[in-house]
């Protein structure tokens, strides 16, 4: 029987690894998992401080939240700490999904930060809905992905906010929201680079890359250049109809992208 030496076995093992591993981990099949709940840690500390009256607790999810988002009310040191914590908790997932769906990850993070007050709002900590996604007009959220339950912050004015299992599922559905047809039509290529993947996922209820080995339709990553922050913000802000945020505009949306720049800069110190 022919002997196979250890170096040969190692080489064979590398050759048999999935593409995303054998290329040195540059393309991950599974998204990274945030290692900690930094925002919750900051809110717990804040609840024990002189500003504890601004922090509420949600028994259903056992999570803390800020009940008053007024910048003049929340001390600067706590606001910066929450911003830094949100960045630490989520930046790896934003980068991962940004790469997978050719979307500028800072644009994605800026919208999540703005809609959820840096992960400290009541809504995101009650429903894990970090982007203010409503069920109305998005039947695919339930029929394709089984996120069927909704929540009303104001019981006298039903809003139908979708309830999610975790932050990642909320981010995934936000990408589907901004890659709906009327948003894609506003991109320079009308969403040609991502539209097939979006349709595939809504048909099968899974990420397009999960069956990349079995189906020749998709690779682990979509080819093409990433849509820039300017291009994405144009699709969801400043339009008379299908405007993602009623109180937002392109100027303030870009200001939130710059806030992400600052949070990233602080994380490197």
């Amino acid at each position: 029987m022919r002997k196979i030496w250890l170096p040969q076995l190692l080489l064979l093992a590398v050759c048999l690894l999935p593409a995303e591993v054998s290329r040195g981990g540059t393309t991950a099949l599974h998204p990274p998992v945030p290692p900690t709940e930094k925002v919750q840690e900051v809110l717990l500390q804040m609840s024990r401080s002189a500003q504890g009256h601004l922090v509420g607790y949600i028994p259903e999810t056992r999570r803390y939240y800020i009940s008053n988002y007024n910048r003049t009310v929340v001390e600067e040191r706590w606001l910066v700490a929450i911003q830094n914590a949100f960045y630490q908790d989520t930046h790896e997932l934003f980068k991962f999904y940004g790469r997978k769906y050719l979307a500028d990850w800072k644009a994605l993070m800026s919208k999540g930060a703005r809609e959820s007050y840096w992960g400290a709002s009541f809504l995101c900590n009650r429903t894990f809905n970090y982007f203010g996604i409503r069920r109305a007009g998005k039947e695919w959220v339930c029929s394709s992905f089984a996120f069927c339950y909704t929540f009303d912050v104001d019981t006298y004015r039903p809003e139908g906010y979708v309830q999610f299992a975790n932050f990642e599922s909320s981010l995934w559905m936000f990408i589907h929201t901004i890659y709906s047809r009327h948003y894609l039509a506003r991109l320079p290529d009308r969403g040609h680079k991502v539209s097939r993947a979006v349709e595939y996922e809504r048909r099968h209820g899974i990420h397009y890359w999960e069956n990349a080995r079995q189906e020749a339709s998709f690779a682990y990553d979509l080819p093409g250049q990433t849509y820039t922050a300017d291009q994405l913000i144009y699709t969801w802000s400043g339009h008379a109809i299908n405007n993602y945020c009623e109180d937002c505009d392109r100027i303030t949306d870009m200001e939130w992208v710059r806030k992400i720049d600052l949070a990233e800069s602080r994380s490197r110190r």
Side-chain angles (χ1 to χ4, degrees):
M1 180 178 179
R2 183 183 174 185
K3 293 182 178 180
I4 301 178
W5 300 103
L6 181 59
Q8 292 173 298
L9 286 173
L10 291 174
L11 178 61
L12 178 61
V14 170
C15 291
L16 292 176
L17 283 174
E20 71 277 9
V21 177
S22 62
R23 287 197 295 268
T26 56
T27 305
L29 178 58
H30 300 291
V33 178
T36 57
E37 288 272 14
K38 297 287 187 183
V39 172
Q40 286 297 301
E41 292 175 13
V42 172
L43 293 179
L44 174 59
Q45 295 170 14
M46 187 176 172
S47 72
R48 297 168 176 170
S49 74
Q51 290 215 300
H53 62 286
L54 298 178
V55 180
Y57 181 75
I58 305 171
E60 292 87 348
T61 56
R62 299 181 180 181
R63 296 175 73 82
Y64 295 91
Y65 70 97
I66 288 184
S67 56
N68 191 327
Y69 307 152
N70 192 325
R71 189 185 180 99
T72 62
V73 175
V74 179
E75 292 178 3
E76 184 71 13
R77 67 186 181 101
W78 288 118
L79 179 57
V80 171
I82 292 169
Q83 291 173 346
N84 293 345
F86 181 78
Y87 180 87
Q88 293 174 43
D89 281 344
T90 64
H91 75 281
E92 290 293 347
L93 275 170
F94 276 116
K95 289 178 180 178
F96 178 86
Y97 274 83
R99 186 179 73 248
K100 286 294 187 183
Y101 295 95
L102 302 180
D104 182 274
W105 69 270
K106 289 183 180 179
L108 299 178
M109 180 182 276
S110 68
K111 185 55 73 175
R114 184 171 194 173
E115 291 289 334
S116 72
Y117 193 70
W118 302 94
S121 73
F122 172 81
L123 180 65
C124 77
N125 285 295
R126 177 61 178 81
T127 66
F128 294 100
N129 187 334
Y130 284 74
F131 300 89
I133 300 171
R134 304 189 191 204
R135 171 81 179 273
K138 304 180 189 69
E139 187 55 35
W140 47 265
V141 171
C142 176
S143 60
S144 296
F145 302 103
F147 297 116
C148 300
Y149 294 104
T150 61
F151 179 81
D152 298 319
V153 177
D154 185 349
T155 55
Y156 296 100
R157 188 182 63 180
E159 298 150 307
Y161 289 108
V162 181
Q163 297 191 60
F164 294 105
N166 49 42
F167 166 76
E168 184 190 340
S169 56
S170 174
L171 172 56
W172 187 22
M173 292 302 97
F174 172 64
I175 289 174
H176 268 267
T177 298
I178 64 170
Y179 279 172
S180 294
R181 289 182 180 177
H182 48 277
Y183 291 105
L184 290 179
R186 298 169 182 162
L187 288 170
D189 65 345
R190 301 184 66 82
H192 176 74
K193 291 180 288 191
V194 297
S195 58
R196 285 184 59 251
V198 170
E199 291 171 5
Y200 175 88
E201 292 189 348
R202 292 189 185 182
R203 202 162 54 243
H204 298 283
I206 61 173
H207 298 94
Y208 71 83
W209 65 84
E210 290 185 46
N211 278 343
R213 288 194 193 90
Q214 286 75 29
E215 297 194 22
S217 302
F218 298 103
Y220 289 106
D221 284 333
L222 298 176
Q225 294 294 314
T226 296
Y227 296 118
T228 67
D230 282 324
Q231 290 170 339
L232 290 174
I233 288 172
Y234 173 79
T235 69
W236 71 52
S237 188
H239 297 278
I241 58 174
N242 296 325
N243 193 37
Y244 185 78
C245 174
E246 294 178 0
D247 301 323
C248 303
D249 57 52
R250 292 167 198 160
I251 294 175
T252 56
D253 274 342
M254 285 305 299
E255 288 174 356
W256 276 83
V257 173
R258 287 189 283 274
K259 291 181 182 182
I260 303 303
D261 288 334
L262 291 175
E264 180 183 41
S265 176
R266 289 193 297 266
S267 73
R268 293 173 176 171
R269 295 174 187 170

